[in-house]
Amino acid sequence: MRETPEDLERLQALLDASLAGSTSHLRSIINTARTLNAEQLTQVLTGMCTLALATVTAKGEPRISGVDGHFLRGKWYFGTARDAAKARHLAARPAVSAAHMRGEDLGVFTHGKVEILNPRNGDQATDWPDVLAYVKDFYGDDLFDWDNDVVYYRLHPHWMTVYAPDIVKLTVASQP
């Protein structure tokens, strides 16, 4: 777990506010008996978690694609090729939705805006060196030209809910 107590507090406040502000239909499915708290969520979302990422074209048409998501410090991080269509969409329209699902056992649904961590011609995020060290450790140092080929994003969520009907099943499945 890489989260600080402040990260967990912020994430818990987001989870609580998102669920409280949701429709009655959603709250009938995702309720306190079928969700995770911030600490449980960070224990379940380790390593690479495939995300379905939704962006929007210039014509307002939705596009969805898969990305390798990493949940660090209570936020999603992901990358793509600098010349990918989603990179163009995100540069122009940074609002996104993302979902990570594991069958019927887990659903993490997030809406927010992305921040580019390593822009080609701009200032890098102050924590980009730490994120880069993490992804190089995860994928290997020689997989990409990390400075030129890949653009990395942090998703700043303004809404996030978690469906998890059986925490025991998730925690047993995530243990070695």
Side-chain angles (χ1 to χ4, degrees):
M1 187 167 83
R2 299 173 186 276
E3 286 71 22
T4 66
E6 294 79 19
D7 294 332
L8 291 173
E9 189 175 303
R10 245 186 328 273
L11 178 58
Q12 189 61 56
L14 174 66
L15 293 171
D16 292 343
S18 298
L19 191 56
S22 295
T23 65
S24 59
H25 170 72
L26 186 95
R27 286 192 316 273
S28 72
I29 298 165
I30 301 175
N31 54 50
T32 56
R34 288 185 250 168
T35 193
L36 302 178
N37 65 37
E39 187 170 348
Q40 291 167 325
L41 184 61
T42 60
Q43 291 170 356
V44 170
L45 296 180
T46 60
M48 192 277 289
C49 301
T50 304
L51 294 178
L53 182 77
T55 61
V56 180
T57 69
K59 293 180 181 179
E61 298 168 331
R63 294 293 183 263
I64 193 160
S65 61
V67 294
D68 290 2
H70 295 270
F71 199 72
L72 308 168
R73 302 206 57 206
K75 296 179 180 178
W76 288 112
Y77 290 74
F78 63 91
T80 192
R82 286 195 185 272
D83 62 351
K86 75 175 76 84
R88 288 190 309 277
H89 297 167
L90 293 171
R93 292 163 301 283
V96 299
S97 292
H100 171 65
M101 299 176 72
R102 297 181 191 169
E104 295 181 12
D105 298 327
L106 177 67
V108 182
F109 308 97
T110 309
H111 306 306
K113 288 190 175 186
V114 296
E115 166 193 9
I116 299 173
L117 300 178
N118 61 333
R120 180 169 282 162
N121 298 314
D123 294 334
Q124 297 176 340
T126 56
D127 63 339
W128 171 240
D130 296 330
V131 175
L132 180 59
Y134 168 86
V135 295
K136 281 183 174 182
D137 184 55
F138 189 85
Y139 294 107
D141 194 8
D142 59 352
L143 186 62
F144 300 108
D145 176 347
W146 292 97
D147 292 322
N148 295 307
D149 296 343
V150 181
V151 59
Y152 253 82
Y153 302 90
R154 174 183 12 247
L155 197 168
H156 293 279
H158 61 76
W159 187 89
M160 182 184 296
T161 60
V162 181
Y163 173 74
D166 187 352
I167 180 62
V168 174
K169 194 173 186 181
L170 286 171
T171 54
V172 169
S174 67
Q175 295 188 9

Short mmCIF file of all heavy atoms in Angstrom, two decimals, residues 1-15 37-39 41-42 71-75 77 127 154 157 160:
data_model
loop_
_atom_site.label_atom_id
_atom_site.label_comp_id
_atom_site.label_asym_id
_atom_site.label_seq_id
_atom_site.Cartn_x
_atom_site.Cartn_y
_atom_site.Cartn_z
N MET A 1 0.86 -1.18 0.00
CA MET A 1 0.00 0.00 0.00
C MET A 1 0.90 1.23 0.00
O MET A 1 1.76 1.38 0.84
CB MET A 1 -0.93 -0.03 1.22
CG MET A 1 -1.95 1.05 1.21
SD MET A 1 -3.27 0.83 2.41
CE MET A 1 -2.50 1.47 3.87
N ARG A 2 0.69 2.12 -0.93
CA ARG A 2 1.50 3.33 -1.08
C ARG A 2 0.79 4.57 -0.54
O ARG A 2 1.32 5.67 -0.61
CB ARG A 2 1.84 3.55 -2.55
CG ARG A 2 2.63 2.41 -3.14
CD ARG A 2 2.80 2.61 -4.64
NE ARG A 2 3.43 1.47 -5.25
CZ ARG A 2 4.74 1.27 -5.30
NH1 ARG A 2 5.56 2.13 -4.78
NH2 ARG A 2 5.23 0.19 -5.88
N GLU A 3 -0.41 4.40 -0.04
CA GLU A 3 -1.21 5.55 0.37
C GLU A 3 -0.81 6.04 1.77
O GLU A 3 -0.55 5.26 2.66
CB GLU A 3 -2.70 5.17 0.38
CG GLU A 3 -3.30 5.06 -1.00
CD GLU A 3 -2.83 3.85 -1.80
OE1 GLU A 3 -2.36 2.86 -1.19
OE2 GLU A 3 -2.92 3.88 -3.04
N THR A 4 -0.81 7.35 1.90
CA THR A 4 -0.59 7.98 3.19
C THR A 4 -1.93 8.05 3.93
O THR A 4 -3.00 7.89 3.30
CB THR A 4 -0.04 9.41 3.02
OG1 THR A 4 -1.07 10.21 2.40
CG2 THR A 4 1.24 9.43 2.17
N PRO A 5 -1.90 8.31 5.22
CA PRO A 5 -3.18 8.50 5.93
C PRO A 5 -4.03 9.61 5.30
O PRO A 5 -5.25 9.49 5.23
CB PRO A 5 -2.75 8.87 7.36
CG PRO A 5 -1.41 8.20 7.52
CD PRO A 5 -0.76 8.30 6.15
N GLU A 6 -3.40 10.66 4.80
CA GLU A 6 -4.13 11.75 4.15
C GLU A 6 -4.77 11.28 2.84
O GLU A 6 -5.89 11.66 2.51
CB GLU A 6 -3.21 12.95 3.89
CG GLU A 6 -2.71 13.64 5.14
CD GLU A 6 -1.54 12.91 5.82
OE1 GLU A 6 -0.86 12.06 5.18
OE2 GLU A 6 -1.31 13.18 7.02
N ASP A 7 -4.03 10.45 2.09
CA ASP A 7 -4.59 9.89 0.85
C ASP A 7 -5.83 9.07 1.15
O ASP A 7 -6.85 9.18 0.45
CB ASP A 7 -3.58 8.99 0.14
CG ASP A 7 -2.36 9.71 -0.38
OD1 ASP A 7 -2.44 10.91 -0.70
OD2 ASP A 7 -1.30 9.03 -0.49
N LEU A 8 -5.75 8.23 2.18
CA LEU A 8 -6.88 7.38 2.54
C LEU A 8 -8.07 8.22 3.01
O LEU A 8 -9.22 7.91 2.68
CB LEU A 8 -6.48 6.38 3.62
CG LEU A 8 -5.52 5.29 3.17
CD1 LEU A 8 -5.05 4.46 4.37
CD2 LEU A 8 -6.14 4.39 2.12
N GLU A 9 -7.79 9.27 3.76
CA GLU A 9 -8.86 10.15 4.23
C GLU A 9 -9.55 10.83 3.05
O GLU A 9 -10.78 10.90 2.99
CB GLU A 9 -8.25 11.19 5.18
CG GLU A 9 -9.27 12.04 5.90
CD GLU A 9 -8.59 12.95 6.91
OE1 GLU A 9 -7.88 12.45 7.79
OE2 GLU A 9 -8.79 14.19 6.78
N ARG A 10 -8.77 11.34 2.10
CA ARG A 10 -9.33 11.98 0.90
C ARG A 10 -10.15 10.98 0.08
O ARG A 10 -11.24 11.30 -0.39
CB ARG A 10 -8.19 12.54 0.04
CG ARG A 10 -8.17 14.03 -0.10
CD ARG A 10 -7.13 14.57 -1.07
NE ARG A 10 -5.89 13.83 -1.20
CZ ARG A 10 -4.81 14.00 -0.42
NH1 ARG A 10 -4.83 14.88 0.54
NH2 ARG A 10 -3.73 13.30 -0.61
N LEU A 11 -9.60 9.79 -0.10
CA LEU A 11 -10.30 8.76 -0.87
C LEU A 11 -11.61 8.36 -0.19
O LEU A 11 -12.64 8.22 -0.85
CB LEU A 11 -9.40 7.54 -1.08
CG LEU A 11 -10.00 6.37 -1.84
CD1 LEU A 11 -10.49 6.78 -3.24
CD2 LEU A 11 -8.97 5.23 -1.94
N GLN A 12 -11.58 8.19 1.13
CA GLN A 12 -12.80 7.81 1.84
C GLN A 12 -13.85 8.90 1.73
O GLN A 12 -15.03 8.61 1.51
CB GLN A 12 -12.50 7.51 3.31
CG GLN A 12 -13.70 6.91 4.05
CD GLN A 12 -14.12 5.58 3.44
OE1 GLN A 12 -13.32 4.66 3.33
NE2 GLN A 12 -15.38 5.47 3.03
N ALA A 13 -13.44 10.16 1.82
CA ALA A 13 -14.39 11.26 1.68
C ALA A 13 -15.00 11.25 0.28
O ALA A 13 -16.21 11.48 0.13
CB ALA A 13 -13.69 12.59 1.96
N LEU A 14 -14.19 10.98 -0.74
CA LEU A 14 -14.69 10.90 -2.11
C LEU A 14 -15.69 9.75 -2.27
O LEU A 14 -16.77 9.92 -2.84
CB LEU A 14 -13.54 10.72 -3.10
CG LEU A 14 -13.93 10.49 -4.56
CD1 LEU A 14 -14.61 11.72 -5.15
CD2 LEU A 14 -12.72 10.09 -5.38
N LEU A 15 -15.33 8.58 -1.76
CA LEU A 15 -16.22 7.42 -1.85
C LEU A 15 -17.55 7.70 -1.15
O LEU A 15 -18.62 7.39 -1.69
CB LEU A 15 -15.55 6.18 -1.27
CG LEU A 15 -14.33 5.65 -2.01
CD1 LEU A 15 -13.64 4.55 -1.20
CD2 LEU A 15 -14.71 5.15 -3.40
N ASN A 37 -14.28 0.18 1.85
CA ASN A 37 -13.79 1.47 2.32
C ASN A 37 -12.46 1.75 1.63
O ASN A 37 -11.92 0.91 0.90
CB ASN A 37 -13.71 1.51 3.85
CG ASN A 37 -12.70 0.54 4.42
OD1 ASN A 37 -11.62 0.31 3.86
ND2 ASN A 37 -13.01 -0.03 5.57
N ALA A 38 -11.91 2.92 1.85
CA ALA A 38 -10.69 3.33 1.16
C ALA A 38 -9.53 2.39 1.41
O ALA A 38 -8.81 2.01 0.48
CB ALA A 38 -10.31 4.76 1.58
N GLU A 39 -9.34 1.98 2.64
CA GLU A 39 -8.21 1.09 2.94
C GLU A 39 -8.39 -0.27 2.25
O GLU A 39 -7.44 -0.81 1.68
CB GLU A 39 -8.07 0.91 4.45
CG GLU A 39 -6.82 0.15 4.81
CD GLU A 39 -6.53 0.16 6.30
OE1 GLU A 39 -7.16 0.92 7.04
OE2 GLU A 39 -5.67 -0.63 6.70
N LEU A 41 -10.06 -0.86 -0.46
CA LEU A 41 -9.91 -0.67 -1.90
C LEU A 41 -8.43 -0.64 -2.30
O LEU A 41 -8.04 -1.27 -3.27
CB LEU A 41 -10.61 0.63 -2.34
CG LEU A 41 -10.60 0.92 -3.83
CD1 LEU A 41 -11.31 -0.18 -4.61
CD2 LEU A 41 -11.24 2.28 -4.10
N THR A 42 -7.61 0.06 -1.53
CA THR A 42 -6.20 0.14 -1.87
C THR A 42 -5.49 -1.20 -1.68
O THR A 42 -4.49 -1.47 -2.34
CB THR A 42 -5.47 1.23 -1.06
OG1 THR A 42 -5.59 0.95 0.33
CG2 THR A 42 -6.04 2.60 -1.39
N PHE A 71 -3.42 1.90 -9.46
CA PHE A 71 -4.07 2.70 -8.42
C PHE A 71 -3.03 3.04 -7.36
O PHE A 71 -2.60 2.17 -6.60
CB PHE A 71 -5.24 1.92 -7.82
CG PHE A 71 -6.23 2.78 -7.10
CD1 PHE A 71 -7.08 3.62 -7.82
CD2 PHE A 71 -6.33 2.75 -5.72
CE1 PHE A 71 -8.01 4.41 -7.16
CE2 PHE A 71 -7.25 3.53 -5.06
CZ PHE A 71 -8.10 4.37 -5.77
N LEU A 72 -2.60 4.28 -7.36
CA LEU A 72 -1.54 4.74 -6.47
C LEU A 72 -2.01 5.99 -5.74
O LEU A 72 -2.54 6.91 -6.37
CB LEU A 72 -0.28 5.08 -7.27
CG LEU A 72 0.25 4.00 -8.22
CD1 LEU A 72 1.32 4.57 -9.13
CD2 LEU A 72 0.79 2.83 -7.41
N ARG A 73 -1.82 6.00 -4.44
CA ARG A 73 -2.16 7.15 -3.62
C ARG A 73 -3.62 7.58 -3.80
O ARG A 73 -3.95 8.76 -3.73
CB ARG A 73 -1.20 8.30 -3.88
CG ARG A 73 0.26 7.87 -3.60
CD ARG A 73 1.19 8.93 -3.24
NE ARG A 73 0.73 9.67 -2.08
CZ ARG A 73 1.08 10.93 -1.84
NH1 ARG A 73 1.86 11.56 -2.68
NH2 ARG A 73 0.63 11.54 -0.78
N GLY A 74 -4.50 6.60 -4.08
CA GLY A 74 -5.93 6.88 -4.17
C GLY A 74 -6.41 7.41 -5.50
O GLY A 74 -7.54 7.90 -5.60
N LYS A 75 -5.55 7.31 -6.54
CA LYS A 75 -5.94 7.77 -7.87
C LYS A 75 -5.45 6.79 -8.92
O LYS A 75 -4.49 6.06 -8.70
CB LYS A 75 -5.33 9.16 -8.16
CG LYS A 75 -5.84 10.24 -7.22
CD LYS A 75 -5.21 11.55 -7.50
CE LYS A 75 -5.77 12.58 -6.51
NZ LYS A 75 -5.17 13.89 -6.67
N TYR A 77 -3.61 5.87 -12.41
CA TYR A 77 -2.54 6.32 -13.29
C TYR A 77 -2.54 5.37 -14.49
O TYR A 77 -2.72 4.15 -14.32
CB TYR A 77 -1.18 6.24 -12.60
CG TYR A 77 -1.00 7.24 -11.50
CD1 TYR A 77 -1.64 7.10 -10.27
CD2 TYR A 77 -0.18 8.35 -11.68
CE1 TYR A 77 -1.48 8.03 -9.26
CE2 TYR A 77 -0.01 9.29 -10.67
CZ TYR A 77 -0.66 9.12 -9.46
OH TYR A 77 -0.49 10.04 -8.47
N ASP A 127 5.86 14.85 -9.17
CA ASP A 127 6.05 13.46 -8.77
C ASP A 127 6.29 12.52 -9.96
O ASP A 127 6.34 11.31 -9.78
CB ASP A 127 4.87 12.96 -7.94
CG ASP A 127 3.56 12.95 -8.70
OD1 ASP A 127 3.43 13.68 -9.71
OD2 ASP A 127 2.64 12.23 -8.27
N ARG A 154 -2.61 11.08 -14.74
CA ARG A 154 -3.20 10.84 -13.42
C ARG A 154 -4.66 11.26 -13.55
O ARG A 154 -4.95 12.37 -14.01
CB ARG A 154 -2.49 11.68 -12.36
CG ARG A 154 -3.13 11.60 -11.00
CD ARG A 154 -2.49 12.48 -9.90
NE ARG A 154 -1.55 13.45 -10.37
CZ ARG A 154 -0.23 13.43 -10.10
NH1 ARG A 154 0.30 12.45 -9.39
NH2 ARG A 154 0.56 14.39 -10.55
N PRO A 157 -10.16 12.07 -9.68
CA PRO A 157 -11.59 11.72 -9.65
C PRO A 157 -12.42 12.77 -8.92
O PRO A 157 -12.00 13.34 -7.93
CB PRO A 157 -11.61 10.39 -8.90
CG PRO A 157 -10.42 10.45 -8.01
CD PRO A 157 -9.39 11.27 -8.75
N MET A 160 -16.44 8.51 -7.50
CA MET A 160 -15.96 7.13 -7.55
C MET A 160 -16.83 6.26 -6.65
O MET A 160 -17.10 6.63 -5.50
CB MET A 160 -14.50 7.04 -7.08
CG MET A 160 -13.91 5.63 -7.16
SD MET A 160 -12.23 5.52 -6.49
CE MET A 160 -11.32 6.55 -7.60
#
